[in-house]
């Protein structure tokens, strides 16, 4: 990465504009730290046709509407919103971080990685995501009460999701799509002891209703099975490239190893949301982002000074407070006048 004198400087840079990154930026901004949120657009939340399980947010709100409202809130508080794709990151000699994107360079004292993962998609033919193809059991199981449901996949996770769906409906199939099961012998014994059909043949066609919802799948043997929808369980590809450039420790499953407040093995680097272990849920991600934002504030805040600092530097001069930047100070004052 070239050392550019035009790099924009911030106290905090959040990479990733999903619910976790947005909430981290919300907290660091409102706690008085110059913050940039760098987002390339897209992401799993943006694909939501409806928002489920977020208290206070109606289901009629799409993922894009949810994210746009959040961005408008951040801009109103003084967060710098940057549309860019960060490709490189390094630690500088002064302990800060330099981030290189397709559109510019950025320097920060703290970095939050909220870059998530990409679901591994099965091969077509497939219904539209959110209209019969789903990835979040805890978000969408409710809509399949007493409906016919499929689970695509051949792993332990697929088998367990199929069995979990029996809590909501008595009509559950596992679609192997021509693959051999890779689940364990114990899981095999368990799933075959539950009223779940295992369909070995691949899908060769589908039908949809007038609203675009899945109606049925056609299989290689000519049979047709009707479904309201279902879940694809083929794993996740975690976006850990930036973390790896900094030497951040990863877990065996590919997630970033982080503590309860998002701190990683590299000082000053935080990770939140779907990139760390846990439930991949909007409220969970928002909680992670909030805790990371608070932790960063406690590291960066100027006051209170420690007794050691007071002894070395003397009492705090009244002219030195408040420590919030002039730009954020003016934005906060204007926000309060609205």
């Amino acid at each position: 990465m070239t050392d550019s004198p035009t790099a924009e400087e911030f106290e905090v840079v959040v990479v990733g504009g999903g619910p976790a990154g947005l909430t981290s930026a919300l907290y660091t901004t409102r706690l008085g730290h110059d913050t940039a949120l760098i987002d390339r657009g897209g992401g799993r939340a943006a694909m939501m046709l409806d928002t489920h399980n977020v208290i206070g947010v109606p289901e009629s709100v799409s993922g894009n509407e949810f994210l746009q409202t959040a961005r408008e809130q951040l801009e109103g508080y003084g967060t710098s919103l940057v549309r860019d794709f960060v490709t490189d990151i390094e630690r500088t000699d002064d302990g800060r971080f330099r981030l290189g994107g397709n559109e510019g360079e950025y320097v920060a004292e703290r970095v939050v990685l909220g870059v998530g993962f990409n679901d591994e998609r099965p091969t077509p033919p497939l219904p539209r995501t959110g209209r019969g193809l789903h990835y979040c059991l805890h978000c969408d199981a409710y809509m399949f009460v007493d409906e016919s449901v499929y689970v695509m996949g051949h792993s332990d996770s697929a088998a367990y999701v199929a069995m979990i769906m029996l809590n909501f409906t008595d009509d559950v199939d596992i679609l192997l799509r021509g693959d051999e099961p890779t689940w364990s012998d114990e899981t095999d014994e368990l799933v075959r002891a539950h009223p779940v059909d295992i369909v070995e043949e691949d899908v060769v066609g589908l039908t949809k209703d007038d609203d675009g919802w899945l109606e049925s799948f056609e299989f290689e043997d000519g049979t047709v099975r009707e479904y309201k929808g279902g879940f694809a369980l083929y794993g996740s590809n975690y976006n850990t490239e930036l973390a790896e450039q900094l030497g951040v420790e990863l877990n065996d499953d590919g997630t970033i190893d982080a503590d309860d407040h998002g701190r990683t093995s590299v000082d000053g680097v935080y990770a939140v949301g779907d990139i760390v272990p846990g439930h991949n849920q909007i409220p969970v991600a928002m909680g992670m982002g909030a805790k990371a934002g608070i932790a960063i504030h406690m590291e960066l805040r100027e006051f209170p000074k420690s007794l050691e600092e007071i002894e070395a530097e003397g009492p705090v001069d009244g002219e030195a407070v408040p420590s919030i930047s002039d730009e954020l100070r003016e934005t906060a004052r204007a926000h309060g006048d609205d």
Side-chain angles (χ1 to χ4, degrees), residues 197-239:
D197 282 350
I198 300 175
V199 182
E200 297 180 356
E201 292 79 12
D202 199 1
V203 174
V204 295
L206 59 83
T207 61
K208 302 177 184 178
D209 66 17
D210 293 338
D211 293 329
W213 267 96
L214 174 70
E215 286 187 330
S216 66
F217 283 131
E218 180 184 354
F219 295 87
E220 286 178 323
D221 61 358
T223 59
V224 174
R225 291 176 177 244
E226 294 183 352
Y227 299 104
K228 175 69 172 181
F231 301 89
L233 276 296
Y234 288 92
S236 307
N237 296 316
Y238 293 95
N239 300 316

Side-chain angles (χ1 to χ4, degrees), residues 44 47-48 117-124 126-141 143-144 150-152 157 161 177 229-236 274 279-281:
R44 297 178 81 237
M47 293 189 296
M48 299 186 309
F117 66 80
N118 300 313
D119 294 290
E120 190 69 38
R121 289 175 59 85
T123 57
L126 293 170
R128 182 183 177 187
T129 300
R131 288 292 183 265
L133 176 64
H134 304 260
Y135 292 94
C136 179
L137 170 71
H138 298 106
C139 302
D140 296 333
M143 71 172 63
F144 295 121
Y150 69 83
V151 176
M152 284 186 186
S157 296
V161 166
R177 303 202 59 178
F231 301 89
L233 276 296
Y234 288 92
S236 307
D274 292 348
H279 297 294
N280 301 318
Q281 300 278 292

Side-chain angles (χ1 to χ4, degrees), residues 51-57 59 136-140 142 281-283:
T51 300
H52 303 297
N53 292 6
V54 184
I55 199 72
V57 179
E59 293 197 356
C136 179
L137 170 71
H138 298 106
C139 302
D140 296 333
Y142 182 87
Q281 300 278 292
I282 289 177

